[in-house]
Amino acid sequence: MIEVRDLTKIYPPDKLALDQVNLKVGAGEFVIILGRSGAGKSTLLRCLNRLVEPSGGEVFWDGMEVTATSREGLRKVRREIGMIFQQFNLVKRATVLENVLAGRLGYAGALKSLFGRFSVEDELLALECLEQVGLAGFSERRADTLSGGEQQRVAIARALAQRPRVILADEPTASLDPRLTQTIMDILKRINKEKDITLIVSQHQLEVAMEYAERIVGLRSGRVLYDGSVSDLGPEAIEAIYGGEEGRDDQSNSRTVGH
Amino acid sequence: MTSRTVEQSAIDRLKIAQKRRNRLYFYLVSIPLLALYGWFLWETEVSLFRLRRGLPWMADFLYRMVPPDFSVLQSALRGAFETFQIAVVGTTIAALLALPLGFLSARNVASPNIFYAVRSAINFFRSIDTMVYALLFVAAVGLGPFPGVLAVITYTTTILAKLYSEAIEDIDPGPVEAITATGATRLQVLRFGIIPQVLPLFVSYLLYRLETNIRAATILGFVGAGGVGFYIQTYLRMMNYPAASCILLVLVAMVMAVDFGSSRLRKRLI
Ligand SMILES: Nc1ncnc2c1ncn2[C@@H]1O[C@H](COP(=O)(O)OP(=O)(O)OP(=O)(O)O)[C@@H](O)[C@H]1O
Ligand SMILES: [Mg+2]
């Protein structure tokens, strides 16, 4: 369903964030991208829907080359891919319902939506999505009056409103406490199982990854070091992803000291 | 241990030398600057002596202003209201014109070429004040409130465009990214990701400019561009100080009323 070939990203002037990444994700999978801070997780997820423009390699969506498609084609791909962020990225002054309705923009009539008008079906769908994340009755609240966990659930509802086939979640729990981490990961897992939506979730916490993942893709310095099931993830692989030279991912110069 | 103290005293000596050098630089720069400033004072004929000699005249001036002559109240009110109208019409039209310019001169929205072109144009036109525009427009379209409105529009558009673009550059990029990811068009991203973040600020800037423009518009009448300024100038020229003071009182009342209302509105917005 998603295929990535030799994906490379260089941030100007010369920061190699992704180094020839190859990845195939099938329908219905629950994949966790595991890696330390700076490993390239966010960059990888953003290259899939071209929020970040790759420097090299290809991304395919159902055999169609996302990296070569027109702006119009890209929009059609994007609306089938929901996205969730570490900082929730809600429009804070807008209501919960307005935030969820934003998930329909890719389908809405361009002119009508510019006046803030959505169809009745869209509004009903938005309410239904809120219900699915346990936020029925929150629709008229302003987004910035919600707690962090609630905001992230609104963000999930916004992604669901797209009726996506894939949801990309970029460290969705990194700004939440452990209990809320459970809640959010449970919701994502349930979406994956009940709605058959493919989930690609990035995580820097090993324990969370071990608990929820079926498949783990280990990333370090922009390279895939591990790609396999959780049960096969041994200590060497974990060491390769996490351990070793401090700061190798962080662009620090610790390697020049000592030795 | 001795080597350590030797080292230490060497460092101390270096520090002292550095301090002396800094002091030297300080005098080298500040003495010429002070001299320059003295020259400015001389050239602008600033003189406490002259100020003191003028005090009785000012007192006399104030004395002759009371009591205000309220028989001119009607023209005072009419003039003040025209000033208010000029400011309101000018500011609102400017607020609309500044919208596209604000977006086109925001680094995070416009493409670099457009950004530089629009921002340079705005900076160019902003360096000229409302009053100068008023002179130009009086020459172009004749006397009356209309050139005043045009002058207010021109200056206010540039200043609001600058404030708008700064507000746009300061937005949280997160929601913009999230809405782009849903497959929204660029216009939709603008409408749902950017405008909700900046609209309250825009309205607040508009109200603030309205306050400023009412003050600016009072002197537009001096050059024949409408409003209460015409009466102030006329009565002062005729040395009819009681009439002039009546008009000034009306003006002060209007400015204070508008400031009060607008600042309360602005507080509720943010
Ligand atoms: N816009 C940018 N310009 C330059 N370098 C960038 C940019 N964005 C990311 N990088 C660099 O690319 C590397 C990968 O960043 P990325 O954000 O993808 O990592 P990450 O795994 O998501 O980390 P985190 O857990 O901190 O979010 C990092 O070294 C980062 O400093
Ligand atoms: Mg990240």
Side-chain angles (χ1 to χ4, degrees), chain A residues 34-217:
Chain A
L34 188 62
R36 302 208 298 210
S37 183
K41 306 180 294 290
S42 302
T43 306
L44 174 56
L45 291 183
R46 281 171 175 72
C47 279
L48 297 183
N49 59 4
R50 276 174 63 190
L51 283 183
V52 165
E53 205 59 54
S55 316
E58 295 108 42
V59 175
F60 293 93
W61 170 253
D62 279 343
M64 173 228 215
E65 193 180 342
V66 179
T67 32
T69 186
S70 63
R71 183 185 290 185
E72 195 50 38
L74 180 60
R75 288 186 48 220
K76 292 222 167 80
V77 174
R78 278 178 177 165
R79 67 185 192 187
E80 291 192 86
I81 304 180
M83 195 152 186
I84 299 165
F85 305 83
Q86 178 179 343
Q87 302 299 340
F88 325 133
N89 290 359
L90 300 181
V91 179
K92 297 201 176 61
R93 290 179 194 275
T95 66
V96 166
L97 184 67
E98 283 163 344
N99 270 288
V100 179
L101 279 170
R104 297 305 297 163
L105 286 174
Y107 301 90
L111 197 63
K112 215 172 140 193
S113 73
L114 287 181
F115 288 97
R117 313 205 29 95
F118 290 87
S119 68
V120 180
E121 296 87 70
D122 282 351
E123 298 210 356
L124 287 177
L125 174 62
L127 289 173
E128 191 189 312
C129 294
L130 275 172
E131 221 165 280
Q132 282 164 12
V133 296
L135 290 182
F138 279 66
S139 60
E140 292 309 317
R141 291 263 299 269
R142 243 174 77 143
D144 55 5
T145 65
L146 268 56
S147 74
E150 288 162 351
Q151 289 193 32
Q152 192 60 299
R153 276 142 73 190
V154 174
I156 296 176
R158 174 174 64 193
L160 285 176
Q162 290 175 238
R163 287 202 200 281
R165 290 162 60 205
V166 175
I167 291 181
L168 311 174
D170 187 17
E171 299 205 48
T173 60
S175 13
L176 302 174
D177 67 27
R179 191 178 52 82
L180 287 172
T181 298
Q182 291 273 344
T183 317
I184 296 296
M185 291 304 288
D186 285 340
I187 293 177
L188 294 182
K189 193 86 189 192
R190 205 187 66 222
I191 290 170
N192 171 245
K193 290 284 162 280
E194 289 176 6
K195 301 187 147 261
D196 206 31
I197 294 174
T198 306
L199 265 128
I200 308 181
V201 185
S202 78
Q203 268 292 344
H204 70 272
Q205 288 175 286
L206 180 64
E207 314 80 62
V208 180
M210 298 292 271
E211 187 180 343
Y212 287 93
E214 285 147 23
R215 172 179 166 199
I216 284 188
V217 174

